[in-house]
Amino acid sequence: MTEVDWTLSVKVPDKINTNNMNVFLMLVFFTFFITHMIYIIMEEVIVRRHAKKQKLLNENQKIDFVGTLAASTAHEIKNPLTGIKGLVQLLVEKHPEEQDQFYYSVIMKEIERINSIVSEFLILGKPMVQTLSLYDIRSIIAELRPIIESEARHFNIEVEWNIIKEPTLVHCTKDQLKQVILNIAKNGFEAMEVGKKLRIRIHHENEWAKIMIIDNGQGLNEKDIGKVFDPFYTSKKEGTGLGLFVCKRIIESFNGTIEFSSKPLVGTTVTISLPLIKDHT
Ligand SMILES: Nc1ncnc2c1ncn2[C@@H]1O[C@H](COP(=O)(O)OP(=O)(O)OP(=O)(O)O)[C@@H](O)[C@H]1O
Ligand SMILES: [Mg+2]
């Protein structure tokens, strides 16, 4: 080998240089692209989070506003209303003619309506930190049953009761729990046609007392289900849209939860869950 006259030379073709350049440019491009994408995604997440926070803030401001409005005006409305009611009662006795009696009954009905709206406003104005007492839901239901039955007769609807035999103790305030059940039952009546059936079921599920109010009325579509607990959301001509909003506030103040599930033309189930008190000694 040493005797042969030879030289070895290597020439790197220009093509490899060009390839290297291309790879480098591609890398730069991809790095830029990926960084840009990450930046866009992060910005989107931040904007969305901000919008969600803002929405919550607006919701809370709305609730605070309603609360303040309620606290400052509800009492002022209730007092003169009681006076008007008393005077109409006097007129009812003074003018027995059929036509007059009809007018008075309309006035009384309207006064009752204002009264019930104002009562809901009063609850909104109340601070929700309150003293809860121990009650057996079954005894609350026993007191409520005649009221719901009479309301059902008014709507021409049957009520089926399915109440657990065992004690069902929970921490709550009696009148407020009654109001919640009545509000939900009334929604059921309003959603059903004559001749249908409302089912009220009380049972235990693990550590929870469950109150289920089930109707087979018109139901609600998925889009609107998300709005039912919003203040002032109503699909009714004469509704205030405060019923379920107030129910939710009350149930949450008992450390419970309330769920609304519905299917158009099939019906609606509202489930209230309250922590079951087992040992009350
Ligand atoms: N059982 C139900 N079936 C179908 N839709 C319901 C039912 N319960 C509630 N909804 C819907 O949710 C809306 C809000 O109910 P909510 O009780 O808060 O107010 P409302 O009944 O409209 O008015 P208010 O209770 O003040 O008379 C109703 O207008 C209705 O559209
Ligand atoms: Mg209602």
Side-chain angles (χ1 to χ4, degrees):
M1 281 289 280
T2 47
E3 281 162 26
V4 182
D5 185 21
W6 66 282
T7 49
L8 185 71
S9 69
V10 175
K11 190 172 184 295
V12 180
D14 281 351
K15 210 176 158 204
I16 293 183
N17 266 341
T18 327
N19 273 353
N20 270 350
M21 198 60 187
N22 280 349
V23 170
F24 176 72
L25 279 177
M26 286 282 270
L27 259 172
V28 169
F29 175 75
F30 270 115
T31 317
F32 175 76
F33 181 74
I34 301 277
T35 328
H36 198 68
M37 281 308 280
I38 292 174
Y39 174 75
I40 289 177
I41 291 170
M42 275 175 66
E43 202 176 54
E44 175 78 11
V45 169
I46 290 168
V47 166
R48 273 193 196 186
R49 220 181 259 176
H50 184 73
K52 213 167 151 189
K53 243 190 206 166
Q54 197 61 39
K55 199 177 160 211
L56 203 73
L57 198 73
N58 287 347
E59 247 350 271
N60 286 344
Q61 275 174 346
K62 210 154 82 173
I63 293 166
D64 276 354
F65 171 72
V66 173
T68 318
L69 190 76
S72 56
T73 55
H75 268 297
E76 306 311 311
I77 298 173
K78 264 210 156 195
N79 291 341
L81 212 58
T82 315
I84 296 170
K85 211 171 150 185
L87 287 173
V88 175
Q89 199 61 52
L90 280 181
L91 289 172
V92 167
E93 286 156 23
K94 206 169 165 197
H95 301 278
E97 298 91 64
E98 202 178 317
Q99 185 74 15
D100 293 341
Q101 289 290 320
F102 170 71
Y103 291 143
Y104 294 139
S105 73
V106 175
I107 295 173
M108 282 302 235
K109 226 176 85 195
E110 292 303 296
I111 290 175
E112 277 313 317
R113 216 175 98 69
I114 300 174
N115 224 341
S116 70
I117 294 171
V118 170
S119 301
E120 283 182 349
F121 267 78
L122 267 176
I123 284 188
L124 293 181
K126 264 188 204 161
M128 278 289 153
V129 184
Q130 55 194 339
T131 341
L132 305 178
S133 309
L134 197 65
Y135 285 102
D136 190 330
I137 296 182
R138 295 171 313 151
S139 64
I140 294 181
I141 288 287
E143 285 180 29
L144 199 59
R145 201 165 164 155
I147 302 169
I148 291 187
E149 299 267 354
S150 111
E151 192 82 5
R153 267 195 299 280
H154 175 71
F155 282 91
N156 234 317
I157 279 163
E158 197 190 327
V159 185
E160 184 187 286
W161 302 86
N162 190 337
I163 314 287
I164 192 170
K165 297 276 182 295
E166 285 82 56
T168 305
L169 296 171
V170 296
H171 282 303
C172 67
T173 47
K174 187 161 85 173
D175 286 342
Q176 289 192 342
L177 186 59
K178 274 187 187 174
Q179 188 192 347
V180 168
I181 300 171
L182 199 60
N183 262 349
I184 298 168
K186 211 163 145 253
N187 277 346
F189 295 144
E190 286 165 352
M192 285 191 283
E193 286 155 20
V194 170
K196 295 239 172 179
K197 193 191 273 180
L198 184 85
R199 290 191 293 141
I200 298 183
R201 184 167 175 234
I202 315 273
H203 68 286
H204 297 176
E205 205 177 289
N206 303 323
E207 306 301 307
W208 297 91
K210 298 265 177 180
I211 307 169
M212 295 176 85
I213 296 148
I214 307 152
D215 70 61
N216 51 359
Q218 69 200 24
L220 209 61
N221 62 45
E222 216 165 296
K223 194 177 113 257
D224 292 328
I225 289 176
K227 299 184 201 155
V228 293
F229 292 112
D230 289 354
F232 305 115
Y233 170 73
T234 182
S235 59
K236 298 170 195 169
K237 224 173 93 200
E238 298 207 326
T240 62
L242 287 173
L244 286 177
F245 172 66
V246 167
C247 290
K248 190 163 187 264
R249 267 183 63 120
I250 293 175
I251 293 301
E252 283 175 355
S253 77
F254 300 162
N255 299 314
T257 60
I258 180 166
E259 281 166 54
F260 186 99
S261 69
S262 191
K263 233 182 186 169
L265 304 176
V266 176
T268 299
T269 299
V270 179
T271 309
I272 297 165
S273 309
L274 293 172
L276 199 55
I277 310 297
K278 288 236 168 94
D279 182 16
H280 61 285
T281 48

